[in-house]
């Protein structure tokens, strides 16, 4: 191949490095109004009254909205969330009121002048709190909420959803097990911390069209749900999405767009912009889900795992939104990449008084992998077996079945064993696993392996349109939002490869406009390359067919005898007979002036085959198309005096199916590895006993910084997925998934205690070490 497999620079690179790229927050308009929020200082409280008198006196104020402005309940899985809090607040930072004013400064001043009287209520501060018999109910009307298929709440409790998976006979599994271990893990919610904070602009035009511009990963979902929530026909809603400055799943949620719409409606349809400060982005918008999990494994003395019982208690926060779907994705792959005959999983999505959860890079899989991999290490320790060898003895291979009972094949399952073998060599696993450097320094290695099936809606679709320019170059338009992954560049490579032309001749449209752009379900789940790639290839085939038909008339040949390549159409048997693409792509004019054809426009679309909903009682179903896999390792150096440590090396071996853009793939995996390390060793919300968040700024919520990153080693193997474009597999999330587990494995080996609580602060390690005899965490 001439283009696929080459490191083509991102199409948007020049705009980004020169500062010419425009994001939603950059939009200005002299007639634009600005909105700012008043937010709750309580995690759970009844709203007694809201005094806006002082706020209305601030110059420039056009309107003030409270929960009384709309009784609409929103949410994709359960419609349980008011746009602005009504009657009570359920998490620290929930929006209570919105001020619309001429300037942002005026709106902020007025928002700070709003006086709200609260009656504090008892707080549910963890999954354990949520399950207490005497726990305060966060949603008394849970039975009355509208819910999506497969969502099973338990009214009268804080259980937003319960799903189960049943495979094999667990009693038989325990009976035949010679060794049984149990391990528990936990971590609290955290933030996405994307560089660009969320923002939205709304306008209701005089003729009735609703225009939304948003920093979103899901413009078509905004169009769908805005119409559903407010009974607006979809044709009257236009959503645009420019470049997005990082999303990691957090910008797939729909939140500020609804506030902006209410604000515009309150001021006669005028354009209103709302943009989060960093603190607001961390407090008011959805974050990363938390988890408490218990894993029980049974195996033979030789290390063959026979039985597993897994209990997930996901901290979904104050509203369900996508948390139950994240939990369901974890349920579907709950065993990790291991073949376990007898497998039961109980998966609870719980309401707490924490910020509600959205998708996060990995969509439940970094979470499940941390749980299962820590249990695997615990089992290896009890068996006295090498952790790498234990994994190799249990890894799933073609012919096994997934937890959902799907048959695994060489196409739909990545090659985990080869990934593990390469990791073994790259990490020098047999050379040493832990060693003393000096009197106070210990070096240690940890490993993990993972899989991920990209769960998405069974009717998720993607479309593509390509059109020719008179010079023979092509325009490419898809509904994929460019969030920094380089997906649109890879799609341009696919198109160039199919058309047998240079990628430089492909012009990509980055801004998505739901009025004219073909729909792409959502830019989530590492599905952009797969879904949109298949659609682009179909559009290319459509355009090629049209080109050959016109060329057949010009060259007086059968279309089947023609070949497209490098901006010409040739007669296959005699390439000296040809016509330039630029001479026919806008139609062809004969010497006498007669013309045929016209501008060639190709179209294509794709829906993933044989997708269906999981059975919420047994877990049977096909929630995703293929399992993409990898193996990872982390090497650390620990100082035993204060339990501080350095990150020395991180290794990831991924089955890419086919590497489409080597430099792009490397950047994706390395970036995800860094994100996984940051999440695992420092990122978390620090909650007070009353549910307040102590650290809603990047000063107090420290991300991994320059100079703190380890050496990264990334390698790809290529075991093609036959359904994927050019055999490719997903990569966008997969560098993150096993990293937290590998880090915990390394630190556990260095400290000689099992570390099962994230993040792995030195203080957390110290507390665990000092209380190892009686502290399971």
């Amino acid at each position: 191949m001439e283009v696929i497999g080459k490191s083509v620079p991102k199409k948007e690179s020049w705009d980004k490095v020169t500062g010419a790229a425009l994001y939603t927050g950059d939009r200005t308009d002299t007639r634009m109004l600005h909105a700012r929020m008043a937010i709750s200082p309580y995690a759970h409280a009844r709203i007694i009254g809201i005094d806006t008198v002082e706020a209305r006196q601030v110059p420039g104020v056009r309107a003030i909205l409270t929960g009384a402005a709309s009784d609409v309940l929103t949410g994709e899985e359960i419609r349980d969330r008011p746009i602005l809090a009504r009657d009570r607040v359920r998490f620290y930072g929930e929006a209570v009121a919105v001020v619309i004013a001429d300037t942002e400064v005026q709106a902020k001043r007025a928002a700070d002048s709003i006086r709200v009287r609260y009656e504090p209520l008892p707080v549910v501060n963890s999954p354990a709190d949520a399950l207490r018999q005497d726990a305060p109910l966060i949603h008394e009307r849970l039975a009355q909420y509208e819910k999506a298929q497969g969502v099973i709440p338990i009214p009268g409790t804080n259980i937003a959803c319960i799903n189960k998976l049943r495979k094999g006979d667990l009693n038989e599994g325990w009976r035949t097990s010679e060794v049984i271990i149990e391990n528990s893990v936990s971590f609290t919610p955290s933030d996405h911390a994307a560089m660009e904070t969320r923002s939205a602009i709304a306008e209701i035009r005089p003729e009735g069209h609703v225009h939304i511009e948003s920093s979103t990963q899901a413009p078509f979902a905004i169009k769908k749900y805005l119409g559903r929530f407010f009974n607006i026909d979809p044709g009257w809603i236009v959503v645009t999405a420019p470049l997005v400055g990082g999303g990691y799943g957090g910008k797939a949620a729909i939140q500020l767009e609804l506030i902006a719409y209410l604000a515009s409606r309150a001021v006669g349809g005028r354009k209103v912009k709302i943009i989060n400060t960093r603190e607001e982005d961390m407090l008011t918008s959805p974050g990363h889900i938390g988890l408490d999990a218990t894993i029980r494994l049974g195996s033979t003395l030789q290390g063959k795992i026979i039985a597993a019982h897994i209990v997930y208690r996901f901290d979904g926060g104050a509203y369900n939104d996508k948390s139950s779907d994240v939990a369901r994705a974890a349920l579907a792959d709950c065993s990790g990449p291991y073949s376990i005959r007898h497998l039961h999983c109980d998966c609870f999505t719980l309401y707490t008084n924490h910020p509600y959860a959205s998708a996060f890079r990995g969509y439940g899989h970094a979470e499940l992998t941390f749980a299962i991999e820590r249990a695997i290490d615990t089992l290896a320790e009890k068996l006295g077996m090498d952790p790498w060898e234990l994994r190799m003895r249990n890894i799933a291979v073609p012919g096994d079945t997934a937890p959902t009972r799907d048959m695994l094949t060489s196409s739909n399952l990545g090659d985990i064993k080869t990934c593990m073998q390469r990791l073994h060599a790259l990490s020098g696993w047999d050379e040493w696993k832990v060693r003393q450097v000096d009197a106070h320094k210990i070096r240690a290695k940890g490993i993990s392996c993972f899989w991920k099936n990209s769960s998405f809606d069974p009717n998720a679709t993607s479309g593509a349109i390509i059109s020719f320019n008179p010079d023979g170059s092509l325009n490419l338009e898809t509904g994929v939002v460019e969030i920094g992954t380089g997906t649109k560049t890879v799609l341009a490579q696919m198109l160039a490869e199919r058309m047998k032309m240079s990628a430089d001749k492909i012009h990509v449209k980055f801004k998505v406009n739901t009025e004219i752009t073909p729909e792409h379900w959502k830019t989530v789940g590492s599905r952009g390359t797969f879904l949109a790639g298949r659609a682009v290839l179909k559009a290319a085939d459509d355009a090629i067919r049209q080109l050959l038909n016109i060329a057949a008339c010009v060259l007086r040949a059968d279309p089947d005898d023609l070949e497209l390549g490098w901006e010409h159409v040739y007669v296959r048997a005699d390439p000296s007979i040809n016509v330039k693409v630029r001479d026919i792509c806008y139609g062809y004019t004969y010497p006498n002036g007669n013309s045929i054809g016209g501008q060639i426009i190709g179209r294509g679309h794709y829906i993933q085959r044989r997708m269906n909903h999981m059975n919420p009682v047994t877990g049977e179903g096909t929630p995703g198309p293929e399992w993409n896999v990898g193996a990872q390792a982390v090497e650390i150096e620990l100082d035993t005096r204060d339990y501080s440590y350095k990150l020395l090396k991180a290794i990831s071996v991924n089955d890419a199916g086919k590497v489409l853009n080597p430099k792009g793939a490397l950047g994706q995996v390395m970036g995800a590895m860094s994100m996984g390390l940051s999440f695992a060793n420092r990122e978390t919300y620090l909650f007070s006993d009353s549910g307040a968040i102590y650290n809603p700024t990047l000063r107090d919520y420290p991300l991994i910084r320059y100079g703190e990153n380890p050496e990264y080693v990334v390698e790809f193997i290529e075991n093609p997925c036959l359904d994927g474009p050019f055999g490719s597999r997903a990569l966008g999330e997969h560098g993150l998934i096993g990293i937290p587990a590998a880090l915990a494995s390394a630190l556990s080996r260095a400290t000689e205690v099992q570390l099962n609580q994230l993040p792995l602060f030195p203080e957390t390690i110290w507390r665990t070490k000092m209380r190892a005899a009686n502290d399971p965490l």
Side-chain angles (χ1 to χ4, degrees), residues 75 112 133 136 139 237 270 320 348 382 498 738:
D112 290 344
Q133 288 290 332
H139 290 274
I237 301 172
R270 284 188 61 178
N320 187 69
F348 297 88
K382 186 160 187 178
R498 186 71 116 210

Side-chain angles (χ1 to χ4, degrees), residues 558-707:
D558 191 290
D560 292 340
D561 296 333
L562 302 179
E563 185 87 18
L564 171 68
W566 305 110
E567 302 181 60
H568 289 75
V569 176
Y570 301 90
V571 174
R572 190 180 298 112
D574 185 359
S576 65
I577 303 173
N578 63 75
V579 62
K580 293 179 180 178
V581 168
R582 70 186 183 197
D583 292 336
I584 59 174
C585 65
Y586 251 66
Y588 181 77
T589 301
Y590 290 97
N592 66 359
N594 293 163
S595 299
I596 59 172
Q599 182 188 17
I600 291 178
I601 300 172
R603 63 183 181 88
H605 58 82
Y606 181 73
I607 293 181
Q608 177 66 43
R609 64 183 176 86
R610 62 176 298 270
M611 298 285 293
N612 54 57
H613 293 287
M614 288 176 62
N615 184 309
V617 177
T618 66
E620 290 181 87
T622 306
E626 84 278 347
W627 289 262
N628 300 298
V629 304
Q632 297 179 310
V634 173
E635 182 181 329
I636 59 92
E637 182 177 272
L638 177 81
D639 189 324
T640 56
R641 290 170 294 187
D642 59 6
Y643 296 98
S644 62
Y645 58 94
K646 294 179 181 178
L647 303 169
L648 301 180
K649 182 184 289 188
I651 305 170
S652 186
V653 182
N654 295 66
D655 187 346
K658 172 65 181 176
V659 178
L660 304 176
N661 184 319
K663 289 291 188 182
L666 178 66
Q668 279 295 289
V669 173
M670 284 181 59
M673 293 167 73
S674 176
M675 192 171 177
L677 288 170
S678 190
F679 159 56
N681 86 335
R682 65 188 66 192
E683 289 190 45
T684 189
Y685 284 135
L686 301 176
F687 293 99
S688 71
D689 290 341
S690 61
I693 295 176
Y694 284 138
N695 58 331
T697 71
L698 295 185
R699 179 182 294 109
D700 306 309
Y701 185 99
L703 307 173
I704 196 166
R705 286 169 162 77
Y706 181 80

Side-chain angles (χ1 to χ4, degrees), residues 217-219 252 479-483 485 487 520-526 528:
Q217 297 174 238
V480 173
V481 179
E482 185 50 71
I483 58 175
T485 58
T487 302
H520 178 79
W521 176 60
K522 294 178 182 178
T523 306
V524 297
S526 304

Side-chain angles (χ1 to χ4, degrees), residues 75 309 575 757 761:
H309 184 211
Q757 183 179 17
F761 294 131

